[in-house]
């Protein structure tokens, strides 16, 4: 099965990048201008799966490829959502959830299902209870989202919009547990410090590994460069793209220093992978 792509719509940290207020960290390279974490999986028949729903979601849906001129109609905008995959409940991955109501509207009020780890979904429902009307409630989808949640057991493969999706455990260090996803021959792993040994089984024979890598220096809750490269060396994907990067990881400075097959991501990057 072919024709699947992952579009990196945000490869920055929780602050975005580069941050204002520190002129020395500013970059004029547009590849260093990174929205908060997010991605879209696009299928050969128009399928759309979102990964997370961070604070920049509206901008990511309107201009996923970062090629809109800001004036004319954005013809490459996202007008469909078959499901959302939730990596975890942190604010930079969830606080754009209200923007899903516009996708509800575009789809005639159909509910959107968010898939993830049960405790993360429970947190989401508590924080954003207005987004999750019960089956019996009349949901006015012009004023609020109409969302449902379904938990994914680690290691169980579910077909979503024609794509096999398997969730697996990741450690965010002291920040708790996150969820990685194997989607066909693509692995999406952000906000990870350590992979439990059992989770490496889901990172074998990948066309594409999208991996969170914060910076060169070590960090308590995120992989730094040396740790991420050790994972790449172990699982040997055909292509690796780093995301969730801080302003220290300037594209022009670092891209030429990475091993073959390893790249820094940038917002709007489209990455093909096999769907089977």
């Amino acid at each position: 099965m072919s024709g699947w792509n992952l579009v990196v719509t945000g490869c920055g940290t929780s602050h975005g990048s580069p941050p204002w207020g520190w002129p020395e960290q500013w970059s004029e390279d547009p590849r260093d201008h990174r929205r908060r974490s997010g991605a879209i999986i696009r299928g050969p028949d128009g399928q759309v799966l979102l990964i997370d729903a961070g604070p920049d979601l509206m901008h990511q849906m309107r201009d996923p490829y970062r090629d809109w001129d800001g004036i004319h109609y954005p013809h490459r905008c996202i007008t469909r959502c078959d499901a959302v995959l939730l990596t975890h409940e942190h604010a930079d991955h969830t606080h754009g959830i209200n923007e899903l109501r516009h996708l509800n509207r575009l789809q005639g009020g159909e509910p959107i299902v968010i898939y993830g780890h049960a405790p993360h979904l429970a947190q989401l429902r508590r924080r954003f209870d207005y987004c999750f009307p019960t089956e019996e409630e009349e949901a006015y989808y012009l004023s609020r989202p109409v969302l449902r949640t379904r938990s994914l057991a680690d290691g169980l493969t579910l077909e979503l919009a024609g794509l096999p999706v398997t969730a697996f455990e990741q450690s965010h260090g002291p920040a708790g547990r996150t969820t990685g996803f194997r989607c066909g021959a693509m692995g999406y792993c952000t906000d990870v410090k350590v992979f439990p040994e059992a989770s490496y089984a889901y990172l074998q024979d990948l066309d594409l590994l999208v991996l969170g890598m914060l910076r060169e220096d070590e960090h308590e809750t995120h992989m730094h460069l040396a740790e991420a490269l050790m994972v790449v060396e172990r699982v040997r994907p055909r292509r690796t793209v780093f995301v969730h990067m801080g302003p220290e990881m300037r594209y022009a400075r670092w891209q030429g220093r990475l091993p073959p097959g390893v790249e820094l991501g940038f917002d709007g990057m489209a990455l093909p992978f096999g769907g089977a």
Side-chain angles (χ1 to χ4, degrees):
M1 191 187 309
S2 60
W4 291 89
N5 280 270
L6 181 126
V7 183
V8 177
T9 55
C11 62
T13 66
S14 58
H15 294 279
S17 184
W20 70 91
W22 291 311
E24 68 278 6
Q25 293 192 15
W26 196 257
S27 170
E28 296 183 359
D29 187 336
R31 295 169 297 188
D32 295 333
H33 289 214
R34 300 164 180 147
R35 299 179 290 206
R36 265 75 67 90
S37 185
I40 304 168
I41 298 172
R42 307 200 72 170
D45 299 313
Q47 305 98 311
V48 173
L49 301 175
L50 304 186
I51 301 180
D52 291 331
D56 299 326
L57 186 63
M58 185 273 286
H59 302 285
Q60 294 170 346
M61 297 300 95
R62 187 168 60 183
D63 184 21
Y65 298 94
R66 292 295 292 264
D67 59 0
W68 179 46
D69 65 7
I71 300 172
H72 299 92
Y73 180 77
H75 286 284
R76 297 224 279 176
C77 62
I78 301 301
T79 59
R80 169 177 171 176
C81 179
D82 294 286
V84 179
L85 303 177
L86 182 69
T87 63
H88 61 306
E89 82 286 14
H90 289 175
D92 55 320
H93 295 258
T94 61
H95 279 207
I97 192 171
N98 192 70
E99 308 300 349
L100 294 174
R101 72 177 182 142
H102 187 56
L103 292 172
N104 285 135
R105 182 186 305 182
L106 292 172
Q107 298 180 132
E110 283 296 311
I112 294 172
V113 181
I114 302 177
Y115 293 84
H117 184 51
H120 297 160
L121 297 174
Q123 287 273 13
L124 209 63
R125 297 185 72 99
R126 281 193 291 272
R127 294 175 187 173
F128 305 102
D129 61 318
Y130 73 97
C131 296
F132 299 94
T134 65
E135 300 285 352
E136 293 76 26
E137 286 180 312
E138 182 178 354
Y140 178 47
Y141 65 87
L142 296 182
S143 67
R144 61 177 177 170
V146 184
L147 308 178
R148 305 279 185 262
T149 58
R150 292 184 189 166
S151 61
L152 288 177
D154 291 336
L156 179 66
T157 300
L158 182 68
E159 187 170 292
L160 296 178
L163 182 67
V165 175
T166 308
F168 54 89
E169 182 181 0
Q170 304 177 149
S171 171
H172 202 351
R177 179 234 160 89
T178 59
T179 297
F181 294 100
R182 182 181 180 120
C183 305
M186 183 271 294
Y188 189 90
C189 306
T190 190
D191 290 60
V192 56
K193 177 65 175 175
V194 176
F195 288 110
E197 189 61 32
S199 294
Y200 278 102
Y202 306 106
L203 299 175
Q204 305 304 311
D205 196 27
L206 292 176
D207 290 341
L208 172 65
L209 173 62
V210 180
L211 180 62
M213 187 282 300
L214 185 65
R215 63 192 192 192
E216 183 180 18
D217 295 335
E218 191 166 2
H219 190 272
E220 189 177 23
T221 60
H222 292 270
M223 284 188 183
H224 67 298
L225 181 60
E227 290 169 326
L229 290 175
M230 287 176 63
V231 170
V232 173
E233 178 65 23
R234 175 169 177 176
V235 303
R236 296 185 177 275
R238 284 173 276 282
R239 184 179 188 182
T240 299
V241 174
F242 291 145
V243 295
H244 210 289
M245 294 174 290
E248 307 93 334
M249 299 304 299
R250 299 205 176 193
Y251 190 93
R253 181 185 303 163
W254 280 98
Q255 179 56 39
R257 299 166 62 181
L258 298 175
V262 180
E263 307 165 59
L264 297 188
F266 55 84
D267 290 10
M269 193 179 202
L271 304 165
F273 66 90

